[in-house]
Amino acid sequence: MSHSTENSMDTKEIEVRSFSSSNRHTLPCVHKVGVPPKQNPWKEFSSRLKETFFADDPLRSFKDQSRSRKFVLGMQAVFPILDWGRSYNLAKLKGDLIAGLTIASLCIPQDIGYSKLANLAPQYGLYSSFVPPLVYAFMGSSRDIAIGPVAVVSLLLGTLLQNEIDPIKNAVEYRRLAFTATFFAGITQAILGILRLGFLIDFLSHAAVVGFMGGAAITIALQQLKGFLGINKFTKKTDIISVMKSVWGSAHHGWNWQTIVIGTTFLAFLLFAKYIGKKNKKLFWIPAIAPLVSVILSTFFVYITHAEKRGVQIVKHIEKGINPSSVNQIYFTGDYLLKGFRIGIVAGMIALTEAVAIGRTFASMKDYQLDGNKEMVALGAMNVVGSMTSCYVATGSFSRSAVNYMAGCQTAVSNIIMSFVVFLTLMFITPLFEYTPNAILSSIIISAVIGLIDCDAAILIWKTDKFDFVACMGAFFGVVFASVEIGLLIAVSISFAKLLLQVTRPRTAILGKIPRTNVYRNILQYPEATKVPGVLIVRVDSAIYFSNSNYIRERIIRWLTDEEEQLKRAGLPEIQFLIVEMSPVTDIDTSGIHALEELYRSLQKRSVELVLANPGPVVMDKLHASGFTSLIGEEKIFLTVAEAVLTCSPKFAEDV
């Protein structure tokens, strides 16, 4: 009986009644603000923890299942192919076969070019499109993503690695550090997935990613001028000023006109093929096979004309055979361990951001769910295995994934087919690439990265959010005029700065009554909204924490001071009540409650009464537990702003 009484007291509701000292007014309608029942602290903590890390309830399918069934479900969770593979049929194989062959024709020339961005021999790009796609096909949950080396990650990895080791003088140590960085990139990705920390990659805002990708595309294109113009001596720096100095400095003696003709001709062909593909979606296969056609034609041309004797640089030898083991080449001790760890984290996070963004894009287009944490584990596993089989960091490629999607892929089997074609290439075809000119690889990379420059997205960001545009341009100019890592640092810094600014300086607004309604809205958004005489209504559009509590208190006092000055000049009645609309306040901490207490005392000195409207259950529970409701009076907490006004200014509520 006593327990029932205590429970009813805990859940009792606060009566709403008039507290006007001059006029006792009987309200026609009385509502109450409920105080939520007390929860077990451990249950509340575990509930918050579960919502943070296990919002998707990944173990829900295991409930009420036998041990054997749980084992099967566990295996399917780790290897999704065991689930969707049961319903695989010839119709799906047809779509995957066409898609796999199409993306293979695109990836082979790209891989050879991207390996040069990473300062590695051409075969390592092909290796990275053989093993990682196989691992991902068994563990990944995306049906459309195509796995392999990508331009941005290749450039980032190459830039960071060459800052530590010269790739020409110390090629073996450089390659070992690349495998070490790849290993730790995979470990980073897998740990983020296992610990359910995928939300961390969302801290890099969309605007920052747009700017970073655009800047990286410009930088990659500029780096290709070495092969495009046939320059032998070229700067190792990536900023636009150093690159252009190197280009113009070698204009009189370093450019090769035959190389320029080859590069220009095939770049025009590739861009025209992309134009055809954009104009007619059914002709997607034309830009997909254009790079391979370019490689075949240019290689044949160089071979029959012996253009390499006239200064045209060629790929030369590509190692034949499948991936050799590289387990013993990874640095697990020594000075390079920490360097590989640091580089791996950066490269892994960028690769993860790109892959998850691509996966989500195509999942939404086909209307299926993508488990971000499973994706991270799959990407991490494939890079860990890749680091042990002579691969460098692989991830989802947007250009290949788009081709994969348009070619009609049905499942991740398209990655297996692509991997098989790369396997055949490594086993039998690599000698045929010996006379492939570097200019054609440069042309392929330039045509591929042009799509990373999203001007429409930048214009939309400018129109939507100017601060986001600053983040976008900061990342862009940081990459173009400094370096890839500086641009990345600027992108992350501006993203965090925006987050901190929003947390520490939340928006507040003065509310007025919309005519002929009981709705109260921001007077700046609705100029027709009418202020209540003698009452100031302020809305706080944020949770109230230690980081913003003082600002919110000071901002409300400033609103009140400005309003009183205006009323005094106009000769109107002074403010008697301050109503704080708390619907958007999702949470409050002890600093926030302390700020409200200080606000209450400041208002008392001004003979202004503090009134709260519609605090949420979490906020109400904390206000009640801290004794704040007793401090201001439980009768001063209302269900809605309209009821608060009805009590504070009944004549206005009835007349308007």
Side-chain angles (χ1 to χ4, degrees), residues 288-527:
I289 67 168
L292 188 59
V293 171
S294 300
V295 167
I296 293 171
L297 292 177
S298 60
T299 302
F300 180 70
F301 174 77
V302 170
Y303 178 76
I304 62 173
T305 61
H306 293 287
E308 77 280 3
K309 295 180 180 179
R310 297 180 177 84
V312 175
Q313 298 173 12
I314 57 176
V315 172
K316 296 180 181 178
H317 179 67
I318 298 180
E319 201 72 43
K320 189 178 179 182
I322 60 173
N323 310 34
S325 173
S326 56
V327 177
N328 59 346
Q329 296 188 49
I330 299 173
Y331 287 112
F332 291 110
T333 57
D335 296 336
Y336 289 125
L337 172 62
L338 188 60
K339 294 177 181 178
F341 177 73
R342 176 177 56 82
I343 295 170
I345 289 178
V346 176
M349 291 294 283
I350 292 300
L352 199 59
T353 302
E354 187 169 356
V356 171
I358 292 168
R360 286 174 178 170
T361 299
F362 289 103
S364 64
M365 292 170 68
K366 284 192 174 179
D367 193 27
Y368 66 89
Q369 293 297 318
L370 190 72
D371 190 325
N373 291 296
K374 282 185 181 179
E375 284 295 285
M376 293 174 197
V377 173
L379 292 165
M382 78 179 191
N383 278 315
V384 169
V385 174
S387 69
M388 299 177 180
T389 52
S390 300
C391 305
Y392 72 93
V393 181
T395 187
S397 165
F398 186 81
S399 59
R400 292 182 215 176
S401 298
V403 170
N404 197 31
Y405 171 80
M406 290 185 288
C409 72
Q410 299 295 315
T411 66
V413 171
S414 60
N415 275 291
I416 297 176
I417 293 168
M418 177 192 73
S419 180
F420 180 70
V421 174
V422 173
F423 163 76
L424 294 177
T425 302
L426 285 166
M427 291 298 294
F428 306 109
I429 307 176
T430 49
L432 300 180
F433 291 109
E434 181 177 349
Y435 288 93
T436 300
N438 288 339
I440 192 61
L441 300 177
S442 297
S443 299
I444 290 170
I445 293 174
I446 291 172
S447 66
V449 299
I450 285 175
L452 296 177
I453 306 172
D454 198 340
C455 296
D456 292 337
I459 293 170
L460 183 61
I461 290 169
W462 166 257
K463 292 178 179 178
T464 306
D465 191 319
K466 300 300 186 289
F467 198 97
D468 265 356
F469 185 76
V470 171
C472 178
M473 290 296 101
F476 177 81
F477 289 117
V479 173
V480 171
F481 287 98
S483 64
V484 176
E485 57 266 39
I486 294 296
L488 181 60
L489 180 62
I490 291 173
V492 173
S493 300
I494 294 178
S495 296
F496 269 103
K498 181 184 179 183
L499 180 65
L500 290 174
L501 187 63
Q502 290 176 334
V503 170
T504 59
R505 293 294 183 268
R507 296 182 185 276
T508 57
I510 293 181
L511 307 185
K513 184 178 182 181
I514 303 296
R516 296 177 298 281
T517 71
N518 283 324
V519 177
Y520 290 79
R521 290 292 183 267
N522 188 341
I523 60 174
L524 295 178
Q525 185 178 1
Y526 299 92

Side-chain angles (χ1 to χ4, degrees), residues 1-9:
M1 183 70 181
S2 61
H3 177 74
S4 177
T5 304
E6 289 175 5
N7 189 55
S8 64
M9 289 182 67

